[in-house]
Amino acid sequence: MALSNGSKVFGLLLLSFMGGIVYVLLNAGEGNDAQGAAGKVITVEIPEGVPAAAVGDILVDAGVVDNELSFQVKVRTDPRAQQIQPGTYDLRAGMSNDEILDRLTEGGPPVDVFSVTIPEGLTVNQTLERIADADKSPFTVKELRRALAGVALPSWVPEKLPDDAEPFEGLLAPNTYEFRADSNAQEMLNRLVTETDANLRALNIAPGRFYRTLTIASLIEREVRVREEQPTVSSVIANRLASDQALQIDATVLYAKGEAGTRVLTSDTSIDSPWNTYEVTGLPPTPIAAPGRSALDAAANPADTEFLFYVVCDFDTGEHAFSKTFRQQQRNAARYREIRDAQGGSYCAEAA
């Protein structure tokens, strides 16, 4: 049926009206006076993976625009919205939608980053020093220590520790990290703690065993230089714990002394400390360092042996001689003293 002239006129008026609404929505943000602060420079962070539709919320919350609806319409009709780049931007309150999209599709200015490699076996203090000393690191040890106090401990860390214990010992995961130079120090350190939690969860052990496993792994990490020996040393620890024998691990004495050396004197083994496993039966109250993944795996999966003792048999490689009996251990220890006094040598093949 043909339309009357009146119907045609009404249709044209309706189309014109709708077009006007779309034009207003698209251009309502042309010259936003966001929060009455037009021209004010505002730093905005656009995270990785944020959809274009959510960018409007970020801009409104930051005070760059005051008409979110117009921006939402704009990103739905402008192909540039699919090219928004994550980054940190210095925008101005009151920018037009076109100016904003132009800026956000250019990408943020380059941000300085710094990388730091944290080796296995470092204490908390050593780790903070490593981060502070990294090239382009903006942090001091004092700043990092203050930030660490604000990081939440995982729920599986015991609430009650000795008064002089470092609660984050063992929790700052070794790895190579890359951080933005403008990173929040607390969030950065939380990343290291989160990685330790993830490493433990990857072992498929009950959360109730996390702290015990982390502590055993720290002993293995500080005691063993030959990675292939880690499960065997783990078995020695497991066997001694099962028989209520003191672990007598030199690394715990060094930790109790607060020194990073490798030499333990006979007099050192009587130090009064809950970390001295010559004097205290069982595990120390906290880890003594941050273990790597292989040490964690060895702690969770010790080898099946009857060994109760080990001592270095090659000073160059750090290889150990293992034994089941105290008599055999005494023989190996005597040979160890010989090569120690000679400042080198090996009796590993003979001990085996």
Side-chain angles (χ1 to χ4, degrees):
M1 180 176 66
L3 294 174
S4 65
N5 288 336
S7 296
K8 293 178 180 179
V9 170
F10 176 76
L12 289 173
L13 288 173
L14 181 61
L15 289 173
S16 178
F17 177 72
M18 294 299 293
I21 291 177
V22 171
Y23 177 82
V24 169
L25 289 174
L26 286 173
N27 295 280
E30 307 306 304
N32 285 295
D33 186 14
Q35 299 182 2
K40 177 183 177 183
V41 175
I42 300 172
T43 301
V44 177
E45 176 76 24
I46 306 298
E48 185 82 35
V50 171
V55 173
D57 294 331
I58 296 174
L59 297 177
V60 170
D61 291 342
V64 177
V65 301
D66 60 1
N67 191 328
E68 183 179 2
L69 178 59
S70 71
F71 190 81
Q72 297 292 14
V73 173
K74 186 73 172 177
V75 299
R76 283 177 168 79
T77 58
D78 194 312
R80 287 176 297 176
Q82 305 307 314
Q83 301 169 20
I84 292 176
Q85 302 295 311
T88 302
Y89 297 86
D90 288 332
L91 305 177
R92 289 178 290 102
M95 291 177 72
S96 71
N97 291 331
D98 277 321
E99 289 174 328
I100 292 171
L101 284 177
D102 282 343
R103 185 71 187 84
L104 298 186
T105 53
E106 291 174 357
V111 177
D112 287 337
V113 297
F114 72 96
S115 62
V116 55
T117 297
I118 301 172
E120 295 89 347
L122 297 191
T123 62
V124 167
N125 287 335
Q126 291 169 332
T127 299
L128 299 185
E129 290 171 0
R130 181 64 67 107
I131 296 173
D133 291 343
D135 186 36
K136 296 184 180 179
S137 171
F139 304 109
T140 65
V141 172
K142 186 176 181 180
E143 290 170 336
L144 292 168
R145 172 58 72 178
R146 187 165 55 244
L148 187 60
V151 176
L153 287 166
S155 60
W156 42 264
V157 174
E159 292 183 8
K160 191 172 183 180
L161 295 172
D163 292 338
D164 55 345
E166 166 53 72
F168 285 94
E169 200 70 88
L171 293 173
L172 303 183
N175 206 340
T176 296
Y177 298 92
E178 185 173 273
F179 300 110
R180 293 167 57 112
D182 60 356
S183 293
N184 177 287
Q186 184 173 319
E187 293 177 356
M188 182 184 68
L189 292 170
N190 185 67
R191 177 177 165 190
L192 274 63
V193 175
T194 300
E195 178 153 333
T196 294
D197 182 81
N199 290 341
L200 285 163
R201 294 185 187 281
L203 296 174
N204 294 317
I205 59 177
R209 293 177 55 200
F210 281 4
Y211 200 69
R212 177 184 176 87
T213 301
L214 185 66
T215 301
I216 293 173
S218 74
L219 306 182
I220 296 169
E221 190 66 69
R222 291 302 294 264
E223 283 284 282
V224 181
R225 285 169 55 189
V226 180
R227 180 166 295 188
E228 291 75 18
E229 290 186 347
Q230 289 181 336
T232 308
V233 171
S234 181
S235 75
V236 173
I237 294 172
N239 293 340
R240 293 183 76 91
L241 289 173
S243 59
D244 290 326
Q245 296 188 49
L247 295 178
Q248 299 184 332
I249 290 178
D250 287 356
T252 65
V253 177
L254 294 172
Y255 185 82
K257 291 175 62 178
E259 299 177 7
T262 58
R263 185 80 177 266
V264 174
L265 303 177
T266 301
S267 58
D268 294 333
T269 61
S270 60
I271 291 174
D272 182 16
S273 168
W275 284 272
N276 179 6
T277 57
Y278 277 84
E279 291 289 313
V280 179
T281 301
L283 292 171
T286 70
I288 61 172
R293 293 182 183 179
S294 64
L296 285 169
D297 185 67
N301 303 285
D304 184 12
T305 79
E306 296 179 2
F307 294 136
L308 289 170
F309 306 93
Y310 61 87
V311 66
V312 171
C313 62
D314 190 315
F315 265 49
D316 292 331
T317 65
E319 188 178 351
H320 289 97
F322 296 89
S323 54
K324 301 176 184 178
T325 68
F326 182 61
R327 175 176 290 185
Q328 186 179 6
Q329 171 67 0
Q330 285 182 306
R331 187 165 56 249
N332 288 337
R335 296 302 309 277
Y336 159 78
R337 286 189 290 271
E338 290 176 10
I339 66 170
R340 182 195 65 194
D341 293 342
Q343 298 183 345
S346 172
Y347 66 95
C348 296
E350 180 182 329

